[in-house]
Structure formats: structure tokens, C-alpha cells
């Protein structure tokens, strides 16, 4: 799919040569050789000049078609094409074949950009792709900003911008090429390109040559495979089906043409139809949160640049009610994926990166609908996605942010209206300065890197909003991180709290995608090590879920960090699922580990929370210690069972 980028054939920006008409001719073989050699650059040129409204997939195919059709049928004259005067030595000018094709490609791309029909232009005859959707790879924030700037320019303005900043031509040279390409006002096009409000760094050729604008380095995604198979089996009845479906889709009130990727309707009752009506969506005022009794999702206003797009909202509600076979549906564990019981609340509708997103809240769940911004896949459902997450009882910090967009390597958050600032921090490096995170007028943040625990766990991005610390665990609602006792957890602010999370943050990888609501880290004991080896911290980390069940508990043993690594990860001593230990119902803990001292002696170390009055070890190691700490000589590989006695006479067993 990818092709090697050819060396730029344009003259250097500092060249002192001038353009002039020459009387030479170019034959078909020479033009073909130039087209093959410089094909990736010519296609990139066409892609950048073509109008963006047709969608990235259509624009890729059109760019290839424009270039492939520019090969002349017979020998052609170079006169009037704005080619450079030929010079020898080190100042050899542009390849005449490339310059000849560049002018033809620009002229054809500009002609395509000029509207000639009331309806959208038909797709090119060749090349055609069946069964796949092709589009360039996504770039970063700078490439996205530059693409938006180019979209706002006219066709001649885009051509002038590309000639100057990609081809490296001077204003005089670019004006000649624009004139040769049929631009009526080259000087005006150059002025428009010069005045374009480009982002910082976008005049750098490396940005214009990034994969975001490379129609030869493509990503491929399938269309709806199941639907294609069904269509193949029904091929003999296709003619009759088209007539019948066309008649049904034309009837008012029935059919599902405006509903995009939704499956056929299944209900015709008042409550169900009210939930499908975009005109009946609940919309909260922009200032309701200021006087509300509590801060939760119900007081979020509707934000985004598409809140008035009834067609989008109708599609989103219809897909929510009855997702078709091609819709990608995901839900956190324990979250129902059924339709809304009535009109939901609109939180957001707008373009995020390369997707159009709508966020809803129905009191129990947050629902995210997304479709491709270029419109691809709306007809067959392959471009639509539907995500569900439980949010019942969310208040304050838990209702502070939602994931509004997710791309490869990054997420964007929609923050609550009461959030005025946000910072990006590294959970594993608390000494590193926090980075300020931009928030636009709609409440959407700049891209935030996602944690990569599948790689070497050396960093863990987290979001700090005021005093609250949140992190992405792969779901719509970020998990809140706290530190303190199970019945009174607090914010991660003190040095001891930040150190505990820095040494134990990688353990969050075990609870990704589990519907986690909060994760609390609690240092329940600190134990002097034998032989004067320092003090070890015993930390219990507990993840609570939105559904109640499915909690995860992890006990970590954190000995003194080695020199030069103050935040080295601790050792996992025990873990449990669905237990009450380290939680509000059972705020106690007991755990043990075999530890090898510097001299080679093995020890059974055990620690309990403050209410543990004694610890008993049985099995491979037998001993009893008063208090909540134990250190007993042992052998490598010994196994022991631990039990603690509480002050009230009860017992606690060790996490396993």
C-alpha cells in the first residue's frame, strides 16, 4: 500500500534562476517515465489541492485518477507551461517532464475543485476500490490544524500554498505555474496563501510531507462484510428489492433512510418514539450548574458545533435504539445497551478529530455515538460506533470529565462546565512538572496520551483537574485516583501519596476495561526490615466498579528504592477479586511475602493494618507475633498461611 517517497524534483528555494517559455517538446515515453518516477509527489500535490468536502476516501481515489489521466496521448509542447530555463552544472533545474505533469495535474485538480453540478461530482471511473475503504493515516494536532486551514482556502489559494511551501517555489515561480494551470488571478491566490492563519510550524516542509497528507501511504478498512454476503445471496432478487425498498423509503413515517446505520424499526409506542425525536432532547442551560444543588451530569449544558444538526442527532438516537449489524457496539461490564426509556439529555454534538460525535446521558448511562466526519460508512453502518458506560450516582469529581474522542495513542476529554483548567501529569514521575492542557470553548481538551501498559511501563499519563486526579482506563469515564484510608480516601496531593502511586501505578493495567469507578491506594503498614535494611511500605490498592461487583484488590510490598530509582515499582504480594478487604465495609488488610536480605537470608515478612493485634503463621513457617508486624527466618520456597487477630476478637485472613 505504501510507496517510497521520491526525491523532490523542484528547484531549491534559493535558486536565482527565472522561468521562461521554451520551445521544446516532450514525447509520451518521457512523460510516462516522469510520471512513474514522481508519482507519489504528484498524487500528494493533487490531494492537497482537491476540495476537502468529498471526504478523505473519495479524495484519495480522485487524486490518483487525476494524476493517472494526465499522461499525454502524443508529443506535447512545453511552451507556455512556465518551465524553468535549463542550466548546467550544480544549478540543473527542474525535470521538464515533472514540471510538465505538475502543471497538468494542477489544472485538472483546480478544474475538479470548481463546481459544475448541483449534485456532488460522480466518483472517478478509475481507480476503483471494492470492499475496502482507503484513507491516509492520521497525523497529530499540528497536521489536523493545517488541514483545517487548507480546507478554508479556495482552490487557487491551496495551489499557491502548496507550490510555495511544499514545492519550494518563490512567489514569481509559483505565479508562473499558477498561470500555466489556468488560474485567473495568480497574484490574488498567492496573497490568500500568504494570509492563511497557519499554525506554528506548518511552513515546515516536514509537516506538509507527513502521512496525514500522503495518499500513497494508506490505511484500509473493510466495508460491512456480513451485509455484503447477504447482498450476494440476494443478487437474483436485487431488481425487485430495489423497486420495493425505493417505494418504502419514500413513504413518510416509515423506512429508515434518515436513520443512517439503524436496523429496521421494532416499536411504535409513544415512549420509544419520543426517545427518537431530536426535538425532544433534554438540553440544560449553560448556567444551570452554578446554582444546582449538586454537580453531576444532569447540569452539564449541551456543547459542540453540531448541537443544532437534527439529522445527526436523529441518526444517533436511531442507532442507539436499534444498532445495525455494521455498528461497533461496546459497553463497560454491567452496563445495559438497550434504548433510552425516554428523551435523553444531550451533552455534546460536534466534530472531534476525524469523527462526528454525539454524547447523551439518560440518568444511568453515558452513551457516545460516533461516525466518520467525511460521511463514509453512513449508508451501510460501517462508519458508526456506539459506546455505553454506567454513571449512576456520579457527582463532583466523578462527573468531571468524559472521553469524547479516542484515536491511536490519544484521547480527548470533554470536561465539566465547572472545570476551568487541567494539567497533564505523569503518575510514575511525580517530580516532573505538570503540563498545562488546553481546553477550547466547547470544553474539549487537547489530545492526552493514553497509558501503554502493554509496552514497558515507564510512564502513566494522568489528568489533574484542580485537586482531583483522573486517568484513562480505556472507557468513556476516566477513573478517579485517591489515597487514604478506605472509609476516608483523599486526593493524591502529599509526597507520601504521590510516592505510593508512583511505585504502584503500573498495577492499574490489571483493571483496564473493567468498568472501574475509583481506585484508592492505602498504605496500611510500614515495617522495619531485618538487618537495618530500612523501612518497607505495605500498600493496598482497591478498584471499585460502577456496578458494585467485580472489585479488584492488590497488596504491594514496597521495600526501600534502590539508588537512582526513587520510584521503582514494588512487588505484588497478593491480589483478590470481589472481596471486601481494603474497602469501606472491611477497612483492614493482612499480607505477607518472602524477602531475601542482602546477606542471603530469607525472611517471612507479614504486616496487617492497625487493628490487627497479632499474626499467626502456619504451614511451611510456623510462628506467632504480637502486634501487626511479623518477621520470621524462612527458607527459599517456603509457603505459609497467615491469620490475624483483631482487637474485637475477630479474625482476618491474608490476601491471596
Amino acid at each position: 500500500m505504501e510507496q517510497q517517497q521520491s526525491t523532490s524534483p523542484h528547484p531549491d528555494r534559493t535558486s536565482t534562476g527565472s522561468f521562461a517559455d521554451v520551445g521544446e517538446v516532450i514525447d509520451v515515453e518521457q512523460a510516462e517515465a516522469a510520471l512513474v518516477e514522481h508519482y507519489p509527489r504528484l498524487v500528494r500535490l493533487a490531494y492537497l489541492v482537491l476540495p476537502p468536502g468529498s471526504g478523505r476516501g473519495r479524495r484519495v481515489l480522485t487524486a490518483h485518477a487525476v494524476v493517472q489521466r494526465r499522461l499525454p496521448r502524443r508529443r506535447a509542447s512545453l511552451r507556455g507551461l512556465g518551465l524553468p530555463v535549463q542550466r548546467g552544472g550544480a544549478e540543473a533545474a527542474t525535470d521538464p517532464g515533472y514540471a510538465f505533469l505538475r502543471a497538468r495535474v494542477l489544472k485538472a485538480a483546480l478544474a475538479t475543485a470548481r463546481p459544475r453540478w448541483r449534485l456532488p461530482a460522480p466518483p472517478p471511473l478509475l481507480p476503483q476500490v471494492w470492499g475496502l475503504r482507503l484513507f491516509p493515516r492520521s497525523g497529530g494536532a499540528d497536521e489536523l490544524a493545517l488541514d483545517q486551514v487548507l480546507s478554508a482556502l479556495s482552490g487557487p489559494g491551496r495551489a499557491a500554498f502548496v507550490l510555495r511551501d511544499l514545492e519550494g517555489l518563490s512567489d514569481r515561480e509559483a505565479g508562473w505555474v499558477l498561470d500555466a494551470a489556468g488560474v485567473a488571478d495568480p497574484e490574488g491566490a498567492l496573497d490568500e496563501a500568504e494570509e492563511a492563519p497557519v499554525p506554528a510550524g506548518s511552513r515546515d516542509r516536514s509537516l506538509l510531507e507527513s502521512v496525514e497528507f500522503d495518499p500513497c501511504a494508506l490505511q484500509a478498512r473493510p466495508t460491512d462484510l456480513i451485509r455484503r454476503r447477504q447482498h450476494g445471496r440476494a443478487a437474483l432478487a436485487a431488481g425487485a428489492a430495489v423497486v420495493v425498498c425505493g417505494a418504502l423509503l419514500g413513504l413518510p413515517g416509515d423506512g429508515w433512510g434518515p436513520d443512517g446505520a439503524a436496523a429496521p424499526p421494532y416499536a411504535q409506542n409513544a415512549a420509544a418514539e419520543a426517545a427518537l425525536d431530536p426535538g425532544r432532547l433534554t438540553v440544560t442551560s449553560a448556567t444551570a450548574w452554578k446554582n444546582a444543588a449538586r454537580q453531576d451530569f444532569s447540569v452539564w449544558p449541551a456543547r459542540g458545533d453540531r448541537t443544532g444538526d437534527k439529522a445527526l442527532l436523529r441518526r444517533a438516537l436511531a442507532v442507539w435504539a436499534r444498532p445495525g449489524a455494521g455498528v461497533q457496539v461496546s459497553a463497560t461490564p454491567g452496563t445495559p445497551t438497550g434504548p433510552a426509556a425516554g428523551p435523553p439529555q444531550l451533552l455534546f454534538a460536534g466534530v472531534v478529530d476525524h469523527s462526528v460525535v454525539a454524547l447523551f446521558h439518560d440518568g444511568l448511562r453515558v452513551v457516545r455515538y460516533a461516525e466518520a466526519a467525511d460521511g463514509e460508512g453512513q449508508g451501510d453502518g460501517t462508519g458508526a460506533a456506539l459506546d455505553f458506560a454506567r454513571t449512576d450516582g456520579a457527582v463532583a469529581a466523578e462527573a468531571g470529565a468524559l472521553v469524547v474522542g479516542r484515536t491511536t495513542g490519544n484521547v480527548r476529554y470533554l470536561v465539566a462546565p465547572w472545570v476551568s483548567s487541567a494539567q497533564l501529569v505523569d503518575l510514575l514521575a511525580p517530580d516532573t512538572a505538570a503540563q498545562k492542557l488546553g481546553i477550547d470553548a466547547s470544553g474539549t481538551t487537547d489530545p492526552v496520551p493514553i497509558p501503554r501498559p502493554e509496552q514497558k511501563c515507564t510512564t502513566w499519563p494522568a489528568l489533574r483537574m484542580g485537586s482531583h486526579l483522573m486517568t484513562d482506563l480505556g472507557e468513556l469515564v476516566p477513573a478517579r485516583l485517591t489515597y487514604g484510608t478506605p472509609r476516608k480516601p483523599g486526593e493524591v496531593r502529599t509526597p507520601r501519596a504521590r510516592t505510593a502511586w508512583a511505585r504502584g501505578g503500573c498495577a492499574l493495567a490489571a483493571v483496564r476495561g473493567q468498568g472501574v469507578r475509583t481506585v484508592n491506594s492505602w498504605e496500611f503498614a510500614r515495617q522495619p526490615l531485618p538487618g537495618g535494611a530500612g523501612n518497607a511500605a505495605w500498600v493496598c490498592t482497591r478498584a471499585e466498579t460502577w456496578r458494585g461487583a467485580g472489585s479488584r484488590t492488590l497488596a504491594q510490598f514496597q521495600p526501600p528504592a534502590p539508588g537512582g530509582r526513587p520510584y521503582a515499582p514494588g512487588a505484588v504480594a497478593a491480589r483478590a477479586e470481589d472481596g471486601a478487604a481494603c474497602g469501606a465495609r472491611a477497612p483492614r488488610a493482612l499480607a505477607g511475602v518472602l524477602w531475601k536480605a542482602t546477606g542471603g537470608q530469607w525472611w517471612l515478612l507479614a504486616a496487617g493494618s492497625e487493628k490487627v493485634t497479632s499474626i499467626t503463621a502456619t504451614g511451611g513457617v510456623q510462628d506467632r507475633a504480637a502486634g501487626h508486624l511479623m518477621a520470621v527466618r524462612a527458607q527459599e520456597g517456603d509457603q505459609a498461611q497467615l491469620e490475624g487477630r483483631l482487637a474485637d476478637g475477630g479474625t482476618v485472613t491474608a490476601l491471596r
Side-chain angles (χ1 to χ4, degrees), residues 300-607:
W300 276 34
R303 290 171 288 177
D305 57 2
R306 302 286 288 274
T307 54
D309 189 340
K310 300 299 184 183
L312 165 66
L313 299 177
R314 185 179 299 279
R315 285 196 304 274
L317 293 172
V319 172
W320 177 3
R322 46 183 196 277
V327 178
Q328 301 177 19
V329 180
S330 68
T332 57
T335 304
T337 59
Q345 176 188 356
L346 177 63
L347 302 180
F348 179 87
V351 177
V352 181
D353 295 326
H354 297 295
S355 299
V356 180
V357 176
L359 277 175
F360 304 98
H361 179 241
D362 68 353
L364 173 68
R365 305 164 294 175
V366 166
V367 181
R368 177 182 180 269
Y369 169 83
E371 64 185 28
D374 56 13
E376 294 187 11
Q378 290 182 16
D380 57 12
T382 57
L386 201 60
D387 304 312
F388 295 84
R390 282 185 64 165
T391 57
D392 43 316
V395 293
E398 294 173 349
L402 293 171
V403 173
V404 70
R406 186 181 296 276
T407 59
T408 304
N410 294 294
V411 296
R412 289 183 189 268
Y413 293 101
L414 179 69
V415 298
W418 54 83
V419 174
S420 58
S421 64
Q423 294 178 314
L424 176 63
V425 299
D426 186 353
L427 196 63
L428 308 188
D431 296 335
T432 304
Q435 302 177 29
K436 185 177 181 180
L437 200 60
I439 303 175
D440 65 19
S442 67
T444 304
T445 69
D446 290 342
V448 177
I450 64 173
R452 296 279 191 172
E454 66 276 4
Q455 303 174 359
K456 189 175 181 180
C457 188
T458 57
T459 181
W460 194 285
L463 183 69
R464 185 175 290 281
M465 298 183 298
S467 61
H468 307 310
L469 189 63
M470 321 288 287
T471 190
D472 173 52
L473 293 181
E475 298 169 332
L476 277 179
V477 185
R480 182 188 178 194
L481 307 182
T482 58
Y483 178 86
T485 60
R487 288 183 176 172
K488 197 175 181 181
E491 305 300 338
V492 184
R493 299 180 62 89
T494 65
R496 178 169 288 190
R498 292 196 297 268
T499 299
W501 269 115
R503 301 193 66 183
C506 289
L508 289 169
V511 295
R512 295 184 73 193
Q514 300 301 312
V516 172
R517 182 173 190 162
T518 60
V519 188
N520 184 57
S521 189
W522 169 41
E523 183 181 307
F524 63 89
R526 185 167 285 265
Q527 181 176 27
L529 296 176
N535 295 323
W538 290 87
V539 178
C540 191
T541 302
R542 180 180 174 87
E544 300 284 0
T545 67
W546 288 96
R547 64 190 183 278
S551 63
R552 304 285 182 94
T553 306
L554 189 75
Q556 295 185 63
F557 174 71
Q558 297 178 354
R565 299 180 59 202
Y567 305 114
V572 176
R575 66 183 73 227
E577 295 185 17
D578 285 324
C582 300
R585 292 183 56 195
R588 51 185 177 267
L590 175 63
V593 68
L594 279 178
W595 176 74
K596 185 178 181 181
T598 306
Q601 175 63 52
W602 285 90
W603 294 83
L604 170 64
L605 303 179

